[in-house]
Amino acid sequence: MTDWSEGYVSDIDYTHGYYRELNPAHLRFALLAKGLRSPDPDAGGFAYCELGFGQGVSLTIHAAANPGGTFLGTDFNPAHAVGARELADRSGVTNLTLHDDSFAELLARSEGGGMPQFDMIVLHGILSWISPENRGTIVEFIRRTLKPGGVVYVSYNALPGWAAMMPLRELMTLHAGADAGEITARIGRSLDFAKKVQEGGSGYFGTNPQVGPRLERLQGMSRNYLAHEYFNRDWVPMYHADVAREFSQAKLAFAATATLSEQVDVVNFNAKGLELLRQTTDPALKETLKDYLVNQQFRRDLYVRGAIRLPGVEQIRQVRATRFALVVPRDTVPTSITFPVGKVDMKQEIYAPILDQLAQGPATFGDLVDRAGITSMPFSALLQAMVILCSQNWVAPCRSAAGDAGRAMVTARFNRFALDRAMHSAAISVLASPVCGGGVAVDRVHQLFLAAEREGRDPTLTAMAGLRELNQRLITDGKTLTSEEETVVELGNRLTHFQGKIRPLLQQLGVV
Ligand SMILES: C[S@@+](CC[C@H](N)C(=O)[O-])C[C@H]1O[C@@H](n2cnc3c(N)ncnc32)[C@H](O)[C@@H]1O
C-alpha cells in the first residue's frame, strides 16, 4: 500500500474486464426501454467520463467505437493509467484523455473550468470500495460536471445480498492485516484461516450455511480480483435507498437498472412479490423492496439529472429507429431462460421471428418487426422480448448504420493491436465493433485464428503456437487437453465452428 492509495489496494493490478453495460448505446437503450429520455450518441457529439477505469479496456473500446464522442477517464493507480494510455496510443484512439488523478484531484481539476460538461458519467465497481469522503467527492464532481439531462451509471455491492458475507470479509481482512508479506500470499493465508474457522465448528458458518460454499468459490478465484473486491480498507455494501439519497445531492434521480433482465418484473418476482410492489408507491422503498425480494447482491443503476418521461408514441418511434444486432450464433439461443422466478419459456411466436430476422444482419427494431410480420403484436411485448434478448447478451443495442464506416476505421486499428497482443497475452477477451459501438466477446483461440488470417498464416498452427507460448490448455466437454495431438484435433474442430458460425457473425458486426 502507498500514500496516494487511500487504503485502496495498489500493489496488485486489476483484471482486464470489459463491461458492456458501460457502452453508450446500452445506457441509452436501458433508459429508452423504461420510456425515459436519454443522451443519444447518434444525435451528434457527446462527452463521456469514466471514474476509476481500472485497466481501461472498456473505456478505450468505447472511445475507439465512438470516435464522434469525447472520452475522459481517471484512475489514481499510475500503472493502470500507463497501461490504458498504451492501449489507446497503440490502437490509434485519439478522442480519449486519461488522467492518473484521484477523484479529489479530478474534482480540483474541474474547478478551473477546463473540464467538459458530460452527457454520461460511469463508475463500475467503485462506490462500495471507497471511503464516505470519496463518495462525497464523486457526488460533487457529478454535480459540477454532468449536463442537465445527463446520465450516471453506478454499480455497487448491494444490501441485503451481502449481509451474510460481511463477517467473512471482516475476518479475512483482519487476518491479512495482521500478517506480513506480499498481498497474494496474505490473501491465500487468510482464505486458509477462514477455512479453519469453518472447520472448527464456527457458529457463524453454522447459522449462515450459504457462506461455506462462497468461501469454497473464493479459493478458486484470481488473487488480483480478490484483492480489489475484498481487501481494500473501505468496503461498504449499500442499500439502494442510501445511494439514492447521496446521489440526490447532485440533483440525480434513480431512473432505471442497467441490468436489463431486472427491468422485467414478471421474471423476477412471484405473484406475492408483484402484489407487494404494486402496493408500494414510495420510489426508494419500492426499489429497495425489490432488493429484499431477490436478496440483491450487486446493482447496476442509472441515475439522471432531470428525468423526462417520453410520450408513448415518441418511445415507440425511438425504439423503432434503434438498431440491434445478434452477437451470438442464432442456433445457440435457447428457448427458455432461468430467472429468479424459475425457468421461463420464451414465446417462440415472438422470439423466433425476431431472431431469424437478426440472423440476416443488424437491423432497426422497426425494420425487423415489419419484415418479420409481427407488428400486430403489442409493442410492449415486442419491446420486452428485445430487453430480454439484450439482457442475456445474445443481442446488443447498436449505433445507427449511418456512422459505421467512420467508426470502423478506428475499431479496425484497435482490433489490429488487440490481435497482435493476443499472440502473447490472454488479457483482452473482446474486440471492438463499429456496429455495437462497443466490445463483443471473442475468445483467445478465435482471436488467434483472426490474427493468422490477417497475416496469411496457418490458423491451427498459429493458435497452437499462441497456446504454447502461454502454456494454455484447451478444455473441451469439461476435460483439459494435455497432449498436442488432442489439442490439434480440437483446434481443427474449433476452426470449423469459427469459419461456419463465428466469422460470419463478426463480419456482420464489422469486427472483420
Ligand atoms: C474495482 S476496480 C474497478 C476498475 C474498473 N472500473 C473495472 O470495473 O474494471 C476500482 C478502480 O478504482 C480505482 N480507484 C480507487 N479509488 C480511487 C480514487 N480515490 N481515485 C481514483 N481512482 C480510484 C482503483 O485504482 C481501481 O482501478
Side-chain angles (χ1 to χ4, degrees):
M1 205 182 289
T2 45
D3 281 336
W4 53 265
S5 68
E6 305 171 29
Y8 193 88
V9 169
S10 61
D11 35 10
I12 180 165
D13 291 347
Y14 197 59
T15 47
H16 285 72
Y18 170 77
Y19 301 98
R20 66 192 169 95
E21 292 85 0
L22 308 183
N23 181 332
H26 181 99
L27 299 178
R28 174 174 179 268
F29 180 56
L31 289 176
L32 180 56
K34 290 303 265 182
L36 293 169
R37 191 162 91 187
S38 154
D40 181 359
D42 283 319
F46 64 97
Y48 179 107
C49 172
E50 182 168 355
L51 300 173
F53 54 68
Q55 298 289 354
V57 176
S58 303
L59 184 58
T60 310
I61 289 186
H62 292 141
N66 297 278
T70 307
F71 288 74
L72 180 144
T74 197
D75 193 297
F76 71 177
N77 186 331
H80 289 176
V82 170
R85 185 73 269 161
E86 178 178 297
L87 192 58
D89 286 348
R90 301 273 303 273
S91 46
V93 172
T94 53
N95 56 336
L96 172 59
T97 306
L98 294 164
H99 297 293
D100 67 350
D101 287 351
S102 68
F103 301 135
E105 287 165 338
L106 193 73
L107 176 64
R109 201 187 277 273
S110 74
E111 273 159 21
M115 187 75 57
Q117 290 286 296
F118 296 108
D119 299 281
M120 303 173 188
I121 297 179
V122 302
L123 50 151
H124 179 71
I126 307 294
L127 204 70
S128 307
W129 296 268
I130 55 175
S131 64
E133 297 73 47
N134 263 323
R135 288 207 307 274
T137 303
I138 286 176
V139 170
E140 178 57 15
F141 177 78
I142 294 170
R143 194 189 65 74
R144 262 192 222 163
T145 63
L146 187 73
K147 283 182 192 167
V151 57
V152 173
Y153 166 101
V154 60
S155 64
Y156 58 95
N157 278 352
L159 286 170
W162 273 97
M165 277 292 285
M166 289 170 82
L168 174 64
R169 185 265 173 186
E170 182 70 14
L171 186 67
M172 293 191 310
T173 49
L174 273 178
H175 188 276
D179 196 357
E182 189 261 329
I183 178 123
T184 49
R186 282 192 283 136
I187 290 174
R189 287 192 290 270
S190 76
L191 288 166
D192 293 343
F193 177 69
K195 187 80 192 146
K196 280 190 198 137
V197 175
Q198 182 192 10
E199 287 165 356
S202 142
Y204 159 64
F205 279 95
T207 315
N208 297 282
Q210 70 275 45
V211 177
R214 281 287 283 278
L215 175 59
E216 208 65 51
R217 285 201 295 278
L218 295 187
Q219 303 269 8
M221 287 182 181
S222 134
R223 298 296 186 253
N224 293 50
Y225 167 76
L226 291 179
H228 286 259
E229 172 66 53
Y230 290 95
F231 289 86
N232 289 306
R233 183 189 63 197
D234 298 297
W235 186 81
V236 194
M238 295 178 77
Y239 290 103
H240 162 80
D242 291 336
V243 176
R245 191 177 319 110
E246 289 190 9
F247 274 34
S248 69
Q249 288 159 26
K251 298 200 208 168
L252 294 171
F254 172 74
T257 166
T259 305
L260 292 175
S261 62
E262 292 173 8
Q263 290 200 357
V264 183
D265 284 351
V266 287
V267 301
N268 289 291
F269 311 110
N270 62 23
K272 286 186 177 155
L274 289 171
E275 181 53 25
L276 267 176
L277 285 168
R278 204 187 53 75
Q279 291 164 3
T280 308
T281 48
D282 179 79
L285 174 60
K286 187 170 188 156
E287 209 48 41
T288 308
L289 168 61
K290 290 182 181 173
D291 291 346
Y292 275 78
L293 292 173
V294 297
N295 198 27
Q296 184 68 273
Q297 287 206 337
F298 194 69
R299 291 189 62 105
R300 298 176 188 85
D301 283 343
L302 301 178
Y303 284 80
V304 290
R305 184 172 189 154
I308 304 283
R309 185 153 290 285
L310 298 168
V313 285
E314 178 58 15
Q315 183 198 22
I316 294 175
R317 190 193 69 74
Q318 290 193 21
V319 170
R320 281 184 63 89
T322 303
R323 190 164 63 140
F324 293 88
L326 202 56
V327 293
V328 295
R330 162 73 178 96
D331 56 8
T332 61
V333 177
T335 53
S336 64
I337 309 174
T338 302
F339 289 108
V341 286
K343 189 167 154 236
V344 175
D345 290 325
M346 295 151 67
K347 285 199 182 101
Q348 286 310 294
E349 62 274 28
I350 296 186
Y351 284 90
I354 291 179
L355 287 164
D356 290 343
Q357 284 304 321
L358 284 172
Q360 312 294 314
T364 63
F365 185 92
D367 281 351
L368 72 92
V369 297
D370 290 352
R371 289 203 298 251
I374 49 176
T375 34
S376 59
M377 293 193 184
F379 171 77
S380 57
L382 295 172
L383 174 59
Q384 181 173 306
M386 191 54 93
V387 168
I388 293 288
L389 289 170
C390 292
S391 78
Q392 303 302 303
N393 202 14
W394 297 328
V395 172
C398 298
R399 296 287 313 268
S400 77
D404 276 353
R407 291 190 294 270
M409 277 161 44
V410 193
T411 55
R413 287 201 299 263
F414 178 91
N415 291 339
R416 206 171 307 130
F417 171 63
L419 293 180
D420 284 346
R421 198 164 143 154
M423 279 310 291
H424 319 287
S425 161
I428 298 181
S429 53
V430 279
L431 293 176
S433 160
V435 174
C436 300
V440 289
V442 181
D443 74 29
R444 179 156 185 256
V445 168
H446 293 165
Q447 289 189 27
L448 292 169
F449 290 156
L450 288 172
E453 176 183 313
R454 219 188 55 224
E455 288 165 23
R457 287 185 279 128
D458 179 88
T460 312
L461 292 180
T462 305
M464 195 66 220
L467 293 177
R468 217 181 282 126
E469 180 161 340
L470 299 187
N471 207 8
Q472 230 184 354
R473 303 213 182 281
L474 296 182
I475 300 173
T476 174
D477 298 330
K479 180 178 165 237
T480 305
L481 305 184
T482 47
S483 80
E484 285 226 350
E485 294 72 32
E486 288 174 307
T487 306
V488 170
V489 172
E490 174 60 17
L491 283 174
N493 295 338
R494 291 196 189 189
L495 182 61
T496 308
H497 172 70
F498 173 77
Q499 284 167 337
K501 304 274 181 191
I502 304 296
R503 200 182 181 290
L505 193 67
L506 293 177
Q507 217 157 2
Q508 288 180 346
L509 295 170
V511 175
V512 289

